[in-house]
Amino acid sequence: MTQAPAPQAASLEVWPGKAYPLGATYDGTGTNFAVFSEAAEKVELCLFDADGTETRITLPENDAFVWHGFIPNIEPGQRYGYRVHGTYDPPTGQRCNPNKLLLDPYSKAIDGNFDWNQSLFSYNFGDPDSRNDDDSAASMPKSVVINPFFDWGNDRPPGYEYADSVIYEAHVKGLTQTHPDIPENIRGTYSAVAHPVIIEHLQSLGVTAIELLPVHHFANDSTLIDKGLSNYWGYNTIGFLAPDSKYSSSPNPGGQVQEFKAMVRALHEAGIEVILDVVYNHTAEGNHLGPTLSMRGIDNGAYYRLVEDDKRYYMDYTGTGNSLNVGHPHSLQLIMDSLRYWVTEMHVDGFRFDLASTLAREFYDVDRLSTFFELVQQDPTVSQVKLIAEPWDVGPGGYQVGNFPPQWTEWNGKYRDTVRDYWRGEPATLDELAYRLTGSADLYEQTGRRPVASINFVIAHDGFTLRDLVSYNEKHNEANGEDNNDGESHNRSWNCGVEGPTDDPEINALRSRQQRNFLTTLLLSQGVPMIAHGDELGRTQQGNNNVYCQDNELSWIDWSDPDTELMEFTRKVSALRAAHPVFRRRRFFSGRPVRQRGGDGLPDIAWFAPDASEMSDEDWDTGYAKSIAVYLNGNGIPDRDVRGQRIVDDSFVLCFNAHYEPIDFVMPEKKFGGSWIAVIDTAADDGDEPTPVDAGQKVQVAARSVLVLQAATEE
């Protein structure tokens, strides 16, 4: 599809149109345009030819501060923007300037890039109190009218329960850019994510959902561009309804929408859900020194939280310059309309909310019952998809792990920290490790939630990769151009004796074992596991723990040199989890004997010291202890299948040894199981045949390793 020339204003018919829906809506005969602004005195719709020729049309109607008009014969592919006339007085929070072309907050596609120069700013560089009236149109990308029609065929959401989910966090480009079996012309795009080789890889890992780093259209920061870098991660949104064109292989304006939908359809056909990492807490317009690109020039005070006693400044709970004003109805409407659009029109299956505590700040404090969460709770569409919170922001009281409403799940930062500390040998971690392995009841049970409220992760995009976690004690972010001052300094990592790459075979063997330890712990913990892309392949970022600006080989998966043994191990552990519901319980353990429903009178869980004695309070409080065994009773699962039948599984004993020497574990007494056979050993060489171990017998668990034993089937 190529864009037709924009008609001249004199030849255009402009009908009143409708105030809803907001944005540009094509109906087959023309396009309705609607934009909210209480601050505006007049709004001009600006249509652009392919060569940049601009045609301005004053929107004729204003209903409840929504400016709107319908223009016949305006078709998909048409590029447009707005100019808003009104008061420019930053000290009172008003920043209208018709010399600045503005993106539609409801853009469903955006075409072009920002040409960072003075014209994008409403003040003159060096004088924030001045006014700059340079026209910005030539330096701005443009909103695009899209074709809303798409053949979804028989597309249906896979609809996995949380308990059965394995999430794979990935970056569209980083996942696909170097894969040799993907055609070069589509690498790094939505089409590449939908390529059979990527889908087959995800399926082989047992992945049920891919969680994509931000794909909402975002701006590359001028400060990064000046350094020869870019905003690789994409946490700098400027279009909440628009899939970013940077990940599209289509040459046509708006083609990214069709390509994104095709990706979702292909993933659904393969049984894989699509979860989007979304950034509703701030936008790319930054603080009072930022550019005027969209909402700032449309209605600054409605869309952004301003400092009450000096409204030229912005409240910043995100560390990025501004915070969206979730206390204003039209700002809330934008968020909710965006969420519904991605579910109903783009068919995505859920969202991970970046810095979600910001969305709970109606005033200054975090309020778990804020209007945003009430709207989500009541929405018949949004409330039914997967909702994952990053439960913190950078403001006061922003760390809210465990405090989100019942229907929400959370990135469990305490899980990450505890598991990292345990495997690097920190003292006094056993009691907290027990909570994390069993679904973090201490965080979620009192609020009516279940183990699946905990999205368990050891590695995410933000921080070390798994390989780097066991290879570096310190961050090495020099490539970011900030003198290694950016990124987290306290990583809870351990380099196993040498900083960075080494030829020492013992250290490399230990690093491989530690990676297997982390993956085994993650995949066999109660809750929902999340794997970061490439960790199953041994991906490294050479010690850089903040590759937000590195759109290059440092941040992309290197498919040419995968750790195939680690990949096969990951598949094996994931398959064990999928095959056994005892690792996917929907309710917390009680620790009490199971006597009802055919129970065996044994507890649903039991904890043992290496000598097979049940853990005492003194054992839990022993700071130096680093070894523990846990018995999971397959006959003690309080869940039922879809037909209402009680779920029964095999029982397991998991032996954890973070000590630097091997430990002999005695198997529990016979009532727990007569014979056990090792099914996962993070220290074993491939091909080792496990020997059954009887109750009361000893089994050696290697230094810094996990041994998983399954109750042997009685003949």
Side-chain angles (χ1 to χ4, degrees):
M1 183 199 326
T2 57
Q3 181 186 336
Q8 296 298 310
S11 66
L12 286 171
E13 290 187 68
V14 183
W15 301 351
K18 297 180 180 179
Y20 187 85
L22 292 167
T25 306
Y26 174 70
D27 68 359
T29 64
T31 301
N32 190 80
F33 295 90
V35 60
F36 160 79
S37 177
E38 187 173 355
E41 298 167 2
K42 182 176 76 170
V43 175
E44 290 179 304
L45 169 67
C46 307
L47 304 177
F48 290 87
D49 286 347
D51 65 2
T53 301
E54 178 182 355
T55 300
R56 301 187 189 184
I57 301 145
T58 299
L59 290 178
E61 298 291 331
N62 177 11
D63 292 326
F65 305 115
V66 175
W67 303 78
H68 57 91
F70 181 90
I71 306 179
N73 302 318
I74 295 295
E75 298 184 342
Q78 175 65 57
R79 299 158 71 239
Y80 73 98
Y82 291 113
R83 296 182 185 271
V84 174
H85 298 254
T87 301
Y88 182 83
D89 185 25
T92 63
Q94 300 179 83
R95 293 180 177 266
C96 297
N97 185 341
N99 297 294
K100 309 304 173 184
L101 185 77
L102 305 172
L103 291 170
D104 184 353
Y106 279 75
S107 300
K108 296 182 179 67
I110 295 172
D111 180 57
N113 299 307
F114 295 97
D115 179 11
W116 292 103
N117 59 52
Q118 175 68 80
S119 72
L120 298 182
F121 297 78
S122 285
Y123 66 93
N124 295 297
F125 293 158
D127 186 5
D129 295 325
S130 64
R131 171 169 172 154
N132 177 274
D133 285 332
D134 294 346
D135 194 290
S136 66
S139 301
M140 283 285 294
K142 310 299 187 291
S143 301
V144 181
V145 177
I146 68 155
N147 177 4
F149 308 112
F150 181 77
D151 183 6
W152 283 103
N154 296 319
D155 182 69
R156 295 176 62 87
Y160 294 103
E161 291 191 37
Y162 275 116
D164 300 327
S165 298
V166 175
I167 297 173
Y168 190 84
E169 188 196 32
H171 186 282
V172 170
K173 188 173 185 180
L175 175 64
T176 64
Q177 183 65 25
T178 72
H179 202 296
D181 295 330
I182 297 176
E184 287 190 28
N185 65 314
I186 66 167
R187 291 179 189 174
T189 69
Y190 306 120
S191 294
V193 175
H195 193 278
V197 295
I198 297 297
I199 288 177
E200 289 166 9
H201 179 71
L202 297 177
Q203 290 175 321
S204 75
L205 295 171
V207 167
T208 65
I210 186 169
E211 181 178 303
L212 296 175
L213 266 67
V215 297
H216 288 177
H217 199 97
F218 63 90
N220 272 320
D221 311 63
S222 59
T223 53
L224 292 176
I225 293 173
D226 290 344
K227 296 178 182 179
L229 303 171
S230 66
N231 194 312
Y232 169 65
W233 282 345
Y235 290 93
N236 204 30
T237 303
I238 198 62
F240 292 128
L241 286 82
D244 201 299
S245 59
K246 291 184 281 293
Y247 302 136
S248 176
S249 59
S250 172
N252 300 320
Q256 62 265 41
V257 177
Q258 301 289 313
E259 186 174 350
F260 183 92
K261 290 179 177 179
M263 175 195 72
V264 173
R265 183 179 59 192
L267 289 166
H268 281 182
E269 288 174 357
I272 299 171
E273 296 179 323
V274 178
I275 298 172
L276 301 186
D277 191 337
V278 290
V279 187
Y280 293 114
N281 52 70
H282 73 280
T283 78
E285 292 187 290
N287 63 16
H288 64 289
L289 299 179
T292 298
L293 310 175
S294 179
M295 290 177 271
R296 168 172 282 146
I298 291 174
D299 196 325
N300 187 52
Y303 284 114
Y304 294 113
R305 297 196 57 173
L306 307 178
V307 174
E308 189 63 33
D309 57 357
D310 192 344
K311 293 185 177 181
R312 83 183 69 202
Y313 300 114
Y314 295 78
M315 299 295 294
D316 181 11
Y317 298 116
T318 65
T320 56
N322 64 52
S323 301
L324 217 62
N325 184 6
V326 292
H328 192 281
H330 279 278
S331 185
L332 279 170
Q333 181 185 359
L334 172 61
I335 296 173
M336 295 304 299
D337 285 349
S338 168
L339 292 170
R340 277 190 294 270
Y341 175 79
W342 285 99
V343 175
T344 60
E345 298 298 320
M346 308 296 266
H347 287 206
V348 305
D349 304 281
F351 305 95
R352 178 265 188 189
F353 292 79
D354 178 64
L355 301 179
S357 293
T358 302
L359 300 174
R361 291 182 183 273
E362 284 207 337
F363 299 102
Y364 296 96
D365 297 327
V366 175
D367 179 5
R368 64 189 294 265
L369 300 177
S370 70
T371 303
F372 170 70
F373 294 109
E374 291 176 351
L375 290 174
V376 169
Q377 176 80 26
Q378 297 167 14
D379 191 282
T381 298
V382 178
S383 65
Q384 299 307 302
V385 300
K386 289 181 169 65
L387 302 171
I388 304 170
E390 183 185 30
W392 50 77
D393 64 16
V394 300
Y399 190 78
Q400 293 291 319
V401 173
N403 292 330
F404 275 70
Q407 70 184 134
W408 287 69
T409 63
E410 300 175 13
W411 270 25
N412 190 343
K414 291 188 177 182
Y415 181 96
R416 172 199 58 206
D417 296 344
T418 299
V419 172
R420 287 188 179 193
D421 279 348
Y422 174 73
W423 283 116
R424 70 188 179 115
E426 287 294 292
T429 54
L430 281 187
D431 55 346
E432 186 146 0
L433 178 69
Y435 277 120
R436 305 303 154 237
L437 292 175
T438 55
S440 296
D442 58 325
L443 300 177
Y444 304 115
E445 190 170 24
Q446 295 303 312
T447 57
R449 289 190 279 178
R450 295 183 176 183
V452 295
S454 178
I455 305 297
N456 298 329
F457 69 105
V458 177
I459 303 296
H461 66 275
D462 187 2
F464 282 142
T465 67
L466 182 59
R467 180 174 169 183
D468 289 355
L469 185 71
V470 301
S471 304
Y472 295 91
N473 283 352
E474 308 295 336
K475 63 184 180 182
H476 296 270
N477 298 357
E478 289 80 7
N480 297 352
E482 299 182 41
D483 297 324
N484 206 34
N485 290 317
D486 63 301
E488 176 60 57
S489 296
H490 183 47
N491 293 283
R492 292 181 161 90
S493 62
W494 178 46
N495 64 17
C496 298
V498 172
E499 188 76 355
T502 178
D503 294 327
D504 188 315
E506 291 186 6
I507 290 178
N508 284 329
L510 175 57
R511 288 175 175 176
S512 293
R513 188 159 70 250
Q514 286 284 74
Q515 290 176 79
R516 295 192 292 270
N517 290 338
F518 281 118
L519 287 166
T520 301
T521 306
L522 173 66
L523 286 165
L524 299 186
S525 295
Q526 305 297 324
V528 182
M530 184 185 78
I531 301 170
H533 79 194
D535 277 350
E536 77 282 4
L537 303 170
R539 185 173 76 89
T540 179
Q541 292 171 174
Q542 300 174 25
N544 191 317
N545 73 354
N546 191 32
V547 295
Y548 78 102
C549 58
Q550 299 291 335
D551 186 4
N552 50 49
E553 290 83 357
L554 186 66
S555 59
W556 305 335
I557 291 179
D558 181 4
W559 288 96
S560 69
D561 186 27
D563 185 336
T564 55
E565 291 183 0
L566 184 61
M567 180 172 61
E568 290 303 321
F569 180 84
T570 307
R571 291 170 174 168
K572 180 180 179 180
V573 182
S574 182
L576 182 71
R577 179 184 188 275
H580 292 283
V582 74
F583 299 116
R584 298 179 281 108
R585 288 170 55 106
R586 289 157 173 79
R587 291 173 174 82
F588 289 109
F589 292 100
S590 69
R592 296 187 295 272
V594 180
R595 302 191 187 280
Q596 277 103 39
R597 307 182 310 277
D600 53 17
L602 295 172
D604 56 3
I605 189 171
W607 300 91
F608 298 97
D611 64 0
S613 62
E614 294 202 43
M615 291 286 287
S616 65
D617 291 343
E618 183 179 353
D619 291 330
W620 288 115
D621 293 337
T622 301
Y624 59 81
K626 296 180 177 63
S627 305
I628 195 171
V630 56
Y631 162 78
L632 304 180
N633 186 352
N635 199 38
I637 303 172
D639 305 323
R640 295 182 180 272
D641 62 21
V642 293
R643 296 182 178 180
Q645 300 298 309
R646 191 170 74 89
I647 296 175
V648 178
D649 193 12
D650 297 325
S651 296
F652 288 82
V653 171
L654 284 67
C655 302
F656 294 86
N657 179 24
H659 192 51
Y660 59 83
E661 292 181 335
I663 296 288
D664 285 336
F665 279 75
V666 179
M667 298 309 296
E669 59 183 300
K670 192 170 183 178
K671 69 178 182 179
F672 290 97
S675 184
W676 303 87
I677 189 163
V679 291
I680 299 291
D681 185 351
T682 63
D685 294 328
D686 288 342
D688 286 358
E689 282 294 328
T691 302
V693 183
D694 292 335
Q697 287 188 333
K698 292 181 180 179
V699 60
Q700 188 176 82
V701 179
R704 298 190 175 97
S705 73
V706 184
L707 182 65
V708 180
L709 301 111
Q710 182 176 354
T713 304
E714 296 183 6
E715 298 183 0

